[in-house]
Amino acid sequence: MEISKKKWTLKDTIVLLRLFIGWHFLYEGVIKLYNPDWTSLGYLASAQGPLQPVFTSLTGNSLLPWVDALNWIALIVVGVTLLLGVFEKVGALVGIGLLSLYYLAHPSFPWLDQVNVEGSYWFVNKNLIELVACIVVIQFPTGHYFGLTRFLNKNNKLTKTKIS
């Protein structure tokens, strides 16, 4: 009797990538939701680069509560979809949108002072790297391999078999 060892595949790696990105987004969203002192005011007010006026305009008293709520809601939605492996393309697309906004608010251009960011970067920072990882998740969805999509597809196949 032969025992076959399962090799670590590209699918397994992309599942792990999807789970890690999902965890990161979910954690950031939940932390913002449950911290009554959290606000995006500092981040938006210190925005730099060509879109600075757009981001600083979002700091008004009437808009800021909406911006804050939409931010943590979107973070949680991305996290849940990627962790559960359901609607992962939509989740990754929303993640790309968020990460694009985060990057554009504080672009890591060498001619700008790095304000309100971790570290000092030249063009490429962690937001841009995670954005590209979300593109990989869109191109190689793995929910059918490891996720709720797999479970839901099995139930659909069983239902179709019973009906026919």
Side-chain angles (χ1 to χ4, degrees):
M1 182 159 112
E2 257 183 64
I3 299 175
S4 63
K5 292 184 179 179
K6 184 179 184 262
K7 292 182 181 179
W8 190 263
T9 66
L10 178 61
K11 279 186 197 175
D12 298 324
T13 305
I14 296 173
V15 166
L16 192 61
L17 179 67
R18 187 195 85 208
L19 292 173
F20 282 9
I21 294 169
W23 175 258
H24 180 231
F25 273 88
L26 182 62
Y27 175 81
E28 291 293 333
V30 169
I31 289 299
K32 287 168 179 53
L33 171 63
Y34 286 109
N35 181 354
D37 297 328
W38 178 82
T39 179
S40 60
L41 176 64
Y43 192 78
L44 293 171
S46 64
Q48 300 173 293
L51 296 178
Q52 176 187 9
V54 173
F55 290 108
T56 54
S57 71
L58 297 174
T59 61
N61 288 338
S62 61
L63 281 178
L64 192 61
W66 287 98
V67 171
D68 288 348
L70 288 173
N71 188 33
W72 64 256
I73 289 169
L75 287 166
I76 290 173
V77 165
V78 172
V80 168
T81 59
L82 295 182
L83 276 174
L84 294 180
V86 62
F87 303 117
E88 62 194 298
K89 285 185 175 186
V90 173
L93 192 60
V94 172
I96 288 169
L98 284 173
L99 291 163
S100 297
L101 290 172
Y102 299 156
Y103 183 83
L104 292 171
H106 290 275
S108 53
F109 300 150
W111 56 88
L112 293 176
D113 291 331
Q114 300 291 308
V115 178
N116 205 11
V117 296
E118 300 171 4
S120 178
Y121 303 97
W122 263 48
F123 298 106
V124 178
N125 65 15
K126 63 182 182 170
N127 291 324
L128 210 51
I129 294 168
E130 195 166 26
L131 184 150
V132 172
C134 284
I135 293 171
V136 171
V137 170
I138 286 176
Q139 291 177 335
F140 299 98
T142 56
H144 63 281
Y145 177 68
F146 181 82
L148 194 55
T149 301
R150 179 179 180 168
F151 175 74
L152 294 173
N153 284 342
K154 281 185 179 180
N155 285 344
N156 287 341
K157 288 178 186 174
L158 290 175
T159 305
K160 288 177 184 175
T161 305
K162 288 179 184 177
I163 293 173
S164 30

